[in-house]
Amino acid sequence: IIWIMAILGQIRKRSIFLIIVIGMALFAFVISGVFTSNGGFGANKPIGEVNGEEIDYEMFNMMVEQAQTVYGLNTINAVNLAWNQGLKNQALVQELEKLGIDAGKDQLEQIISSDQSLVMNPLFQNEIGLFDFNKFSSYITQLKSSNPTMYNQWRLQEQNIISLAKQKIYFDLIKSSVTYTNVESNIQYHLENDKVNIEYLRIPFDIIPDSTLQIKDSEISSYLKKNRDLYEKSESREIEYVYIPDVASNLDENNIRTNLEQLRDGFSQMNQVTNSIEEIKGFKDVKDYSEYIEIYSDISWDSLYKTKQELSSDFSDILFGLRKGEVFGPYRDGNTFKISRMIEKKRDGNLNKVLIADVVKEIIPSNESSNTNYRSASQAEFDGNNDLPLNNSNTSLFIDSFESFEKFDAGLPSYTNSRQVIKWLYENQTKVGDVKRFTLNEGYLVAKAKSFNKKSLPSVDEVRDEISQILLNEKKYNFFLNKHKSNNDIESLSKDYDIDLERASAVTQYDPILVGAGAEPYIIGSAFSLNTNETSNILKGNGGIYLVRLISKDTAEDINLAAAISNSLGDREIERISTLIPEVLESKAEIIDNRSLYY
């Protein structure tokens, strides 16, 4: 709800006309309940359902387009934004309806009257300069006849504001139930304000060689099972694939360069009309260079004077230094080859500028190269369908793999337009072993469905390094504890391991950070339990083995701020709950997701 209020805050900064127009924005749809087809925008094939309410495809697609426009997102990211935020809000709208929470004219007037852009607008002020809601209402009524389109947009915005008012009532009810007792407030006050000054010895885990201890696979497996929630892998589908780029070959590039050399110097060609050989002047000799560019260049000429810094080329120094009429190239500039001719130089204010004309040829594969690339992709598809490796006929192709954990993944990393691969992978008719060839923006991808995996724990090999380190640290602590159980004197151990004692001042339990060691809540908490000049037992921290001596403790003076502290804690809890509730409602909702059928 926080981001909803933030959006409302942005709305409040705008003029009345923008407030009306903003009614077509993405979140006006979702928080007004028109996310679903029950919003009155017609019923098309649903893109999904929330607790039995169908999500209207046309309305959802409008939200996607709005997200693309407002946030500059690509299609898949815009779809995910509209879907994720729409679900949370629709689940909340349904909860409000279930509870019978409603808002009317009074709540609408309260919100509108708090908008300074409206309050300060002379159109809506009375004789003594105060905001008059009746004048505002009259203005909206006039819109109904004078500008029906804008009036309808306002009606949608009005729905939006009423929905916000309902949500405010809902969260106000929650707020009234959030309380902190004086005891709780006092505990929190001391967690944040009590401080300790300590001296400590930190012995890094790696001071004990790994070779002295052994981690068995059975121990890793047992740890995995005990910590299933941390390591369990979601359902997934895996493919292996090869990518055949449809790009120009070295021969193609050489031919493009040779063609430009001919355009630079001149060439002969057969005139099909006169059936005779004619000589074509080169770019360096023609007078009408603009017409020459129009005929022979793949890209139109940008006839602007530019400074040296504005010349987009690695050869800007050479280009800027050309004499009038001099030609340079062919040279490569990005995905093109160019020949450039100096047309004119001039002084513009205190800047030197040049006018350069370019004949540009894009570096694209020839028909022969494209046919070769297509045949290579088709062969990989054929081999895959015959249970042969995808690179069986072309060992230069690299077989890669990708595991998808979500049927609405945007695609394979680094491959544009590869959403189609994920869509195919999750189609009902796709089975393990199936092979398909896809045409991407700059090549072909041949994919083979490798495995469909249920929820499972990773193999021991997959997590060996991570879990071995956790178990090693535990064993090192126990090894150290057993070794020094008869001698845990902090000075003695400091001398034995040649590690200096360190000091930390004004440390709190609320922010248990040791400089140079990081977060150590258990170590700091233990320090608070000590008496002055008392040394702890050997302790296991996140970053090593510790002994801690309490130098002094500064206990904050009890002050009569319990109410203020309670309010502050209550505000924090309300903020947390406000974020959490929509997520909880969504997690409990019955959701049908048909996005993959449309995008």
Side-chain angles (χ1 to χ4, degrees):
I1 194 69
I2 295 171
W3 58 265
I4 297 175
M5 300 306 293
I7 290 167
L8 184 59
Q10 291 299 315
I11 291 174
R12 289 173 178 167
K13 296 177 182 178
R14 304 170 184 264
S15 69
I16 177 60
F17 301 102
L18 286 180
I19 290 174
I20 294 170
V21 172
I22 204 70
M24 296 305 294
L26 169 66
F27 302 111
F29 296 129
V30 294
I31 68 177
S32 298
V34 295
F35 180 64
T36 61
S37 58
N38 294 339
F41 284 85
N44 297 293
K45 289 185 178 180
I47 195 170
E49 293 183 13
V50 184
N51 291 324
E53 286 190 77
E54 293 183 348
I55 302 169
D56 180 74
Y57 168 73
E58 287 187 4
M59 184 53 57
F60 180 79
N61 199 50
M62 289 175 68
M63 292 165 57
V64 172
E65 291 173 356
Q66 189 68 40
Q68 289 179 286
T69 301
V70 173
Y71 302 108
L73 301 175
N74 61 32
T75 300
I76 296 302
N77 287 336
V79 167
N80 289 337
L81 175 68
W83 181 262
N84 294 333
Q85 296 189 337
L87 288 182
K88 286 182 177 64
N89 284 279
Q90 187 58 31
L92 180 56
V93 167
Q94 291 175 346
E95 183 72 7
L96 298 178
E97 292 175 353
K98 187 189 302 182
L99 296 173
I101 293 175
D102 202 358
K105 180 183 176 182
D106 290 344
Q107 285 77 22
L108 182 65
E109 182 175 349
Q110 183 182 10
I111 291 177
I112 291 174
S113 298
S114 65
D115 186 336
Q116 290 302 307
S117 64
L118 297 181
V119 171
M120 301 306 294
N121 192 319
L123 282 174
F124 313 126
Q125 293 178 346
N126 58 24
E127 295 78 5
I128 59 174
L130 297 177
F131 177 73
D132 188 333
F133 184 75
N134 291 328
K135 285 198 171 189
F136 175 78
S137 299
S138 298
Y139 177 84
I140 297 299
T141 302
Q142 291 171 18
L143 280 180
K144 188 172 185 179
S145 56
S146 63
N147 194 332
T149 300
M150 191 168 284
Y151 175 77
N152 288 334
Q153 291 175 359
W154 162 253
R155 292 293 295 170
L156 185 59
Q157 180 61 34
E158 184 180 54
Q159 258 189 312
N160 178 29
I161 295 173
I162 291 172
S163 182
L164 285 170
K166 291 179 183 179
Q167 293 179 35
K168 185 177 184 303
I169 294 170
Y170 177 62
F171 283 101
D172 282 346
L173 289 171
I174 293 174
K175 182 177 180 179
S176 65
S177 66
V178 175
T179 59
Y180 272 81
T181 66
N182 288 348
V183 172
E184 291 171 315
S185 301
N186 191 55
I187 291 172
Q188 184 66 29
Y189 169 74
H190 283 287
L191 283 174
E192 295 183 15
N193 293 281
D194 289 358
K195 298 177 176 65
V196 290
N197 299 313
I198 61 172
E199 191 172 39
Y200 64 92
L201 175 67
R202 181 172 70 93
I203 300 171
F205 288 117
D206 57 16
I207 207 166
I208 302 171
D210 291 355
S211 58
T212 61
L213 302 166
Q214 184 181 7
I215 303 299
K216 299 176 182 178
D217 283 0
S218 58
E219 293 176 290
I220 297 175
S221 180
S222 176
Y223 185 88
L224 268 176
K225 291 174 182 176
K226 289 178 182 177
N227 297 274
R228 175 177 293 272
D229 291 346
L230 294 176
Y231 291 96
E232 189 172 55
K233 296 168 65 176
S234 302
E235 292 184 7
S236 67
R237 297 193 174 193
E238 188 175 5
I239 61 169
E240 60 180 19
Y241 64 91
V242 293
Y243 178 69
I244 302 94
D246 188 20
V247 295
S249 65
N250 291 335
L251 178 60
D252 292 336
E253 292 192 15
N254 289 334
N255 287 339
I256 294 170
R257 186 186 290 273
T258 299
N259 177 251
L260 274 174
E261 289 172 350
Q262 292 177 340
L263 290 174
R264 178 193 63 197
D265 300 329
F267 57 97
S268 302
Q269 70 177 16
M270 175 66 73
N271 188 317
Q272 300 297 329
V273 177
T274 63
N275 198 29
S276 61
I277 301 294
E278 62 180 1
E279 299 297 324
I280 305 299
K281 286 185 177 183
F283 186 51
K284 63 185 179 64
D285 298 317
V286 295
K287 292 182 179 179
D288 192 348
Y289 51 83
S290 61
E291 182 182 4
Y292 198 89
I293 291 172
E294 188 68 28
I295 296 172
Y296 294 109
S297 178
D298 290 342
I299 299 175
S300 298
W301 176 36
D302 180 9
S303 55
L304 296 175
Y305 280 84
K306 296 180 179 179
T307 64
K308 182 165 67 173
Q309 290 73 25
E310 291 172 330
L311 297 175
S312 58
S313 169
D314 293 335
F315 301 93
S316 57
D317 287 337
I318 295 175
L319 294 171
F320 200 75
L322 294 175
R323 297 185 301 274
K324 185 176 179 179
E326 190 176 1
V327 173
F328 174 70
Y331 65 94
R332 184 164 188 153
D333 185 12
N335 199 41
T336 65
F337 279 117
K338 292 180 178 180
I339 49 176
S340 299
R341 175 174 168 177
M342 177 64 72
I343 304 302
E344 192 63 75
K345 297 185 177 184
K346 72 174 183 179
R347 184 77 174 173
D348 186 0
N350 61 346
L351 297 174
N352 291 319
K353 292 188 175 183
V354 295
L355 180 62
I356 293 178
D358 304 308
V359 176
V360 183
K361 289 294 182 182
E362 294 179 336
I363 302 174
I364 58 176
S366 63
N367 289 336
E368 182 179 358
S369 293
S370 286
N371 289 338
T372 299
N373 296 331
Y374 178 80
R375 286 195 295 271
S376 179
S378 298
Q379 185 64 49
E381 183 182 22
F382 176 82
D383 290 342
N385 277 319
N386 285 278
D387 294 327
L388 296 171
L390 294 175
N391 64 350
N392 184 70
S393 301
N394 185 350
T395 54
S396 66
L397 295 178
F398 174 70
I399 298 179
D400 207 342
S401 63
F402 176 75
E403 187 172 10
S404 170
F405 291 93
E406 170 58 55
K407 69 179 179 180
F408 215 71
D409 283 332
L412 279 65
S414 303
Y415 295 99
T416 56
N417 195 33
S418 59
R419 165 64 193 159
Q420 54 183 310
V421 182
I422 305 298
K423 192 172 181 180
W424 164 75
L425 184 60
Y426 283 94
E427 288 175 352
N428 291 334
Q429 61 267 34
T430 302
K431 302 292 185 290
V432 172
D434 287 357
V435 178
K436 188 169 182 178
R437 170 173 43 84
F438 300 90
T439 302
L440 304 186
N441 286 1
E442 296 180 350
Y444 305 97
L445 189 143
V446 181
K448 183 172 186 176
K450 188 177 180 181
S451 62
F452 293 175
N453 309 307
K454 296 180 179 180
K455 279 187 177 182
S456 64
L457 288 171
S459 68
V460 169
D461 287 338
E462 289 178 277
V463 294
R464 184 185 305 280
D465 291 344
E466 178 186 348
I467 294 180
S468 291
Q469 193 59 57
I470 295 171
L471 296 176
L472 272 173
N473 289 346
E474 184 66 34
K475 287 192 172 187
K476 287 179 179 181
Y477 167 70
N478 290 326
F479 175 85
F480 187 92
L481 193 63
N482 290 330
K483 182 178 179 180
H484 296 287
K485 58 185 176 182
S486 60
N487 176 23
N488 63 350
D489 179 72
I490 192 169
E491 276 85 7
S492 175
L493 290 174
S494 172
K495 183 178 179 180
D496 289 347
Y497 287 94
D498 193 24
I499 299 175
D500 293 334
L501 296 179
E502 299 181 66
R503 289 201 172 204
S505 302
V507 181
T508 71
Q509 294 187 78
Y510 185 71
D511 187 24
I513 303 295
L514 288 177
V515 176
E520 292 288 4
Y522 178 69
I523 303 303
I524 300 302
S526 298
F528 273 88
S529 68
L530 299 173
N531 296 317
T532 303
N533 294 323
E534 183 183 2
T535 301
S536 71
N537 294 322
I538 297 171
L539 306 172
K540 177 176 173 287
N542 294 327
I545 300 166
Y546 287 82
L547 280 91
V548 181
R549 174 185 291 153
L550 179 65
I551 298 173
S552 64
K553 183 188 299 183
D554 179 14
T555 302
E557 182 182 354
D558 288 330
I559 52 179
N560 190 22
L561 290 176
I565 297 170
S566 296
N567 290 337
S568 175
L569 295 175
D571 289 342
R572 287 187 208 169
E573 184 66 8
I574 290 162
E575 183 176 341
R576 187 185 72 84
I577 291 174
S578 298
T579 303
L580 184 62
I581 283 178
E583 295 177 359
V584 172
L585 292 174
E586 180 195 356
S587 70
K588 299 297 183 182
E590 295 182 4
I591 297 168
I592 297 176
D593 185 353
N594 295 329
R595 285 177 293 165
S596 60
L597 302 178
Y598 293 86
Y599 298 96

